[in-house]
């Protein structure tokens, strides 16, 4: 079996975390770097034991959530590989409620000054992932853009048949055309995600609603890679 030494393996510490399980994870797969992720409330009650396990076999990264586990950073300040996740997406209850432009909180411009070795976010999903979903009345496509102080989020929503649930293909076609025709998008460096939207628009192709999310996330990651 091939060893993928370029992979970093992650372990999420939640309120049910076992120091023994964490120790087993850190000792496993020695060819791979490890990351331990703290993003749950309530925090584990056995942090003293978890801290001892981390000190005995330090992972490369300790990853924290801005709203859920930031307060742990001082406790684990002995470790030099801190990364912070920020949930910057301003999620709306309905697609029709998204404005053309919204703020996207990000630490892309401040993470080094904060003593971090890395940064991240929850892309265009936000920290509110849910399986499935019903037929939409409005299709909204999200695309991150760079701003002088960080990131903003562009939203491109359909208006055709907005009072009717379903018929996503023409709604996607309209939202996609609005996206690729936008001067704001034209001014962005071309990403693989934007290229996917352009291809769908040119071919008048409806790829389903999962693929546009993938395209937006690819664009988002490539944008962050350029900015950091």
């Amino acid at each position: 079996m091939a060893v993928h030494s370029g992979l970093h393996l992650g372990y999420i510490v939640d309120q049910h975390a076992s120091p023994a399980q964490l120790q087993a994870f850190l000792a496993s797969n020695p060819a791979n770097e490890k990351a331990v992720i703290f993003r749950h409330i309530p925090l584990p009650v056995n942090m003293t034991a978890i801290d001892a396990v981390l000190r005995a076999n330090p992972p490369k990264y300790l990853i924290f959530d801005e709203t859920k586990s930031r307060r742990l950073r001082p406790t684990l300040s002995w470790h030099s590989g801190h990364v912070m996740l920020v949930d910057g997406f301003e999620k709306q209850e309905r697609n029709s409620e998204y404005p053309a432009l919204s703020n996207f909180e990000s630490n892309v411009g401040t993470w080094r000054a904060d003593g971090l070795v890395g940064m991240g976010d929850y892309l265009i999903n936000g920290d509110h992932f849910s399986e499935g979903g019903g037929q939409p009345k409005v299709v909204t496509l999200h695309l991150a853009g760079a701003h002088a102080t960080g990131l903003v989020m562009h939203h491109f929503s359909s208006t055709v048949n907005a009072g009717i649930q379903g018929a996503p293909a023409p709604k996607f076609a309209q939202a996609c055309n609005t996206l690729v025709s936008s001067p704001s998008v034209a001014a962005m460096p071309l990403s693989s995600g934007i290229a996917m939207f352009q291809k769908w628009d040119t071919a008048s192709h409806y790829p389903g609603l999962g693929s546009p999310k993938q395209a937006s996330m690819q664009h988002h990651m490539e944008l962050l890679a350029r900015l950091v």
Side-chain angles (χ1 to χ4, degrees), residues 29-54:
N29 301 291
N32 298 100
E33 297 283 5
K34 308 296 194 311
V36 174
I37 305 160
F38 298 93
R39 61 171 305 274
H40 280 269
I41 295 176
L43 297 173
V45 296
N46 53 351
M47 273 304 302
T48 300
I50 288 174
D51 179 82
V53 171
L54 293 173

Side-chain angles (χ1 to χ4, degrees), residues 22-223:
L22 176 60
Q23 184 174 5
F25 164 76
L26 293 172
S28 68
N29 301 291
N32 298 100
E33 297 283 5
K34 308 296 194 311
V36 174
I37 305 160
F38 298 93
R39 61 171 305 274
H40 280 269
I41 295 176
L43 297 173
V45 296
N46 53 351
M47 273 304 302
T48 300
I50 288 174
D51 179 82
V53 171
L54 293 173
R55 289 176 183 268
N57 193 0
K60 185 171 184 178
Y61 300 113
L62 295 181
I63 302 177
F64 303 89
D65 181 281
E66 175 73 26
T67 59
K68 297 179 178 179
S69 58
R70 183 184 185 92
R71 55 182 161 158
L72 269 183
R73 283 197 67 200
T75 303
L76 301 169
S77 61
W78 57 268
H79 193 285
S80 60
H82 287 197
V83 177
M84 186 67 69
L85 298 175
V86 177
D87 182 12
F89 188 74
E90 295 184 348
K91 187 174 179 64
Q92 302 297 325
E93 189 69 26
R94 300 175 181 84
N95 284 345
S96 59
E97 296 174 355
Y98 284 102
L101 187 70
S102 66
N103 182 50
F104 188 93
E105 184 181 353
S106 174
N107 57 355
V108 67
T110 60
W111 60 276
R112 289 186 178 89
D114 291 338
L116 301 167
V117 299
M119 54 77 60
D121 56 44
Y122 295 94
L123 306 172
I124 54 100
N125 282 319
D127 187 19
H128 307 281
F129 177 77
S130 60
E131 292 283 355
Q135 290 293 311
K137 289 185 176 181
V138 173
V139 169
T140 299
L141 307 175
H142 313 289
L143 202 70
H147 187 268
T149 58
L151 299 181
V152 292
M153 187 63 63
H154 299 269
H155 309 280
F156 304 93
S157 297
S158 65
T159 57
V160 62
N161 295 326
I164 301 173
Q165 195 168 15
K171 296 175 182 180
F172 167 78
Q174 184 187 41
C176 184
N177 181 259
T178 303
L179 185 154
V180 301
S181 303
S182 167
S184 298
V185 175
M188 297 179 186
L190 183 65
S191 66
S192 63
I194 292 176
M196 291 169 70
F197 284 117
Q198 292 174 336
K199 179 180 178 181
W200 293 326
D201 181 62
T202 300
S204 299
H205 174 63
Y206 172 55
L209 294 179
S211 294
K213 281 191 173 183
Q214 176 187 340
S216 293
M217 290 190 284
Q218 287 183 204
H219 167 82
H220 195 115
M221 289 185 283
E222 291 174 26
L223 173 63

